[in-house]
Amino acid sequence: MENTRQQIINLLEEANEQYISGQQISNCLQISRTAVWKHIKELEKDGYKIEAVAKKGYKILEAPNKLSANTIQWGLHTNWLGKHVIHKTSIPSTQTLAQKLAFEGADHGTVVIADEQTAGKGRLNRAWFSPNQGIWMSIILRPSFLPLQASQLTLLTATILAKSVEEVTGLTPSIKWPNDLLIQDRKVAGILTEMQSEHDHIQYLIIGIGMNVNQNEKDFPEELHSKATSIQIESGKEWDMRIIIQAVLQHFEKQYDHYLQKGFSTVKEIWEEYGYKIGEVVTLRTTQEEKQVTLIGLQEDGSLLIEDSGTRHPLYSGEIIW
């Protein structure tokens, strides 16, 4: 059903604000005109405003101001990413559902998205506060590269989120290595990359994205007030999350394909433009000691390049005290 309705939305969109007759839709989709009418009525129940004029046909006037598989795909210009969208009103975790679907054979580029997560998770099994008014999304990928490259996709995704937020909202985030987006030193988005693999083969990889969009200060627990922010808090206005989601997906497809063709160098360059505290001194805590180091940028493999007592080397373990 959803596939047919999405095809109808695509036909209405391609008509470029002109009418398209029920007969044309019927012919294109090989369904009856009665079936076309029923699907139009279901789309209207979903919140679409569609004008029907005798002897002219149908014209889409407005998409609903809410998330659904249909609204996300309407106006989404991608070739393979987001062709299958699964939307849930409330779910424990989009990552958990995406893993189940990937195990069952879900296609490369499948997107799982929810209005609310009741058990959202971040890195190291940390809880992720994810109520309504945010973007909680997981992307299923089936890449052909080696498992050791998977960490580079976290960095790639961070650059995509930074570019998308800046393009849509005008705000310029910073990327805190390896997986957080900050605005004014407070976290606005995070990334969780998980995969199922063998020694030299990735069966599937899931990119989880959490972004605070339309929350107010009062929407966050008190313990997060100094740590978390939202796009609305920083910009002073409410945003259409569908536009941000589409920007992320469109940038993701383009940059992912470029990464497969050209490698990590462009990702490294963009990441360093947004890198948090690059060129600054921070405290590095290891199992043996705490010491002051300077953040230089990224290595070609995606590890963090630091300078310690005049010597530069990659950081593979340890905790940075930001």
Side-chain angles (χ1 to χ4, degrees):
M1 287 290 205
E2 286 186 358
N3 186 48
T4 301
R5 286 175 200 155
Q6 183 55 44
Q7 288 177 303
I8 291 174
I9 290 170
N10 291 341
L11 289 172
L12 291 168
E13 184 190 15
E14 289 164 8
N16 196 25
E17 299 185 356
Q18 302 299 313
Y19 291 97
I20 180 170
S21 72
Q23 189 60 56
Q24 284 177 279
I25 298 173
S26 172
N27 292 341
C28 286
L29 303 185
Q30 297 295 299
I31 59 176
S32 69
R33 290 185 63 177
T34 300
V36 171
W37 179 82
K38 288 180 178 178
H39 283 299
I40 292 289
K41 291 302 175 185
E42 288 302 315
L43 287 172
E44 289 176 338
K45 288 180 184 178
D46 202 23
Y48 284 88
K49 292 183 180 178
I50 298 172
E51 186 175 58
V53 176
K55 298 184 179 179
K56 285 187 176 182
Y58 302 101
K59 180 170 70 172
I60 194 162
L61 302 177
E62 186 180 328
N65 187 25
K66 66 175 183 178
L67 294 182
S68 71
N70 286 327
T71 59
I72 291 167
Q73 290 175 318
W74 184 54
L76 176 65
H77 302 297
T78 55
N79 295 315
W80 55 265
L81 181 55
K83 295 305 174 184
H84 187 199
V85 174
I86 296 155
H87 170 262
K88 301 291 184 181
T89 304
S90 182
I91 193 175
S93 164
T94 61
Q95 285 290 97
T96 302
L97 178 55
Q99 292 212 23
K100 177 179 181 293
L101 295 171
F103 179 77
E104 293 171 352
D107 290 339
H108 175 73
T110 296
V111 173
V112 179
I113 191 162
D115 295 339
E116 173 192 57
Q117 293 184 122
T118 57
K121 58 181 180 176
R123 289 178 68 242
L124 307 177
N125 287 320
R126 293 171 179 148
W128 178 270
F129 180 69
S130 40
N132 277 307
Q133 306 304 320
I135 294 171
W136 324 117
M137 176 168 66
S138 296
I139 299 171
I140 298 173
L141 301 172
R142 298 189 183 276
S144 57
F145 51 73
L146 295 173
L148 59 85
Q149 289 179 250
S151 62
Q152 294 182 352
L153 279 193
T154 300
L155 303 170
L156 170 66
T157 304
T159 66
I160 289 161
L161 296 186
K163 285 283 189 186
S164 300
V165 168
E166 188 169 45
E167 176 185 279
V168 175
T169 71
L171 298 169
T172 301
S174 299
I175 303 173
K176 189 178 80 172
W177 187 83
N179 71 321
D180 290 342
L181 248 68
L182 308 182
I183 299 178
Q184 299 295 331
D185 296 324
R186 294 195 291 174
K187 187 170 179 175
V188 73
I191 301 156
L192 176 62
T193 304
E194 298 178 306
M195 70 174 172
Q196 181 67 37
S197 68
E198 299 170 3
H199 175 66
D200 59 352
H201 172 69
I202 297 176
Q203 296 174 0
Y204 58 81
L205 185 148
I206 300 170
I207 301 286
I209 295 167
M211 184 183 297
N212 300 326
V213 180
N214 286 327
Q215 295 97 330
N216 295 308
E217 294 277 5
K218 62 181 176 57
D219 294 323
F220 292 106
E222 188 173 344
E223 64 269 21
L224 294 181
H225 283 182
S226 64
K227 300 176 182 178
T229 189
S230 74
I231 292 173
Q232 177 170 303
I233 290 169
E234 298 301 328
S235 66
K237 60 179 286 190
E238 188 172 332
W239 293 89
D240 183 342
M241 289 194 290
R242 184 178 63 93
I243 294 174
I244 299 174
I245 291 164
Q246 289 180 341
V248 169
L249 295 178
Q250 286 164 184
H251 276 297
F252 194 104
E253 180 177 280
K254 180 180 178 181
Q255 297 305 320
Y256 179 85
D257 288 344
H258 186 272
Y259 167 76
L260 294 183
Q261 294 169 9
K262 303 294 184 180
F264 187 68
S265 58
T266 301
V267 179
K268 176 181 182 297
E269 180 180 326
I270 297 172
W271 192 97
E272 289 176 340
E273 290 177 12
Y274 291 96
Y276 183 61
K277 292 188 179 293
I278 297 299
E280 297 185 28
V281 176
V282 297
T283 301
L284 174 64
R285 179 185 294 158
T286 67
T287 53
Q288 289 84 28
E289 60 180 341
E290 283 190 6
K291 56 185 176 180
Q292 302 296 298
V293 300
T294 302
L295 303 184
I296 304 300
L298 294 181
Q299 288 275 90
E300 291 301 329
D301 63 356
S303 59
L304 191 62
L305 181 64
I306 63 172
E307 185 172 280
D308 178 12
S309 301
T311 302
R312 293 187 176 186
H313 59 87
L315 176 67
Y316 292 104
S317 63
E319 180 185 2
I320 295 175
I321 312 302
W322 297 98

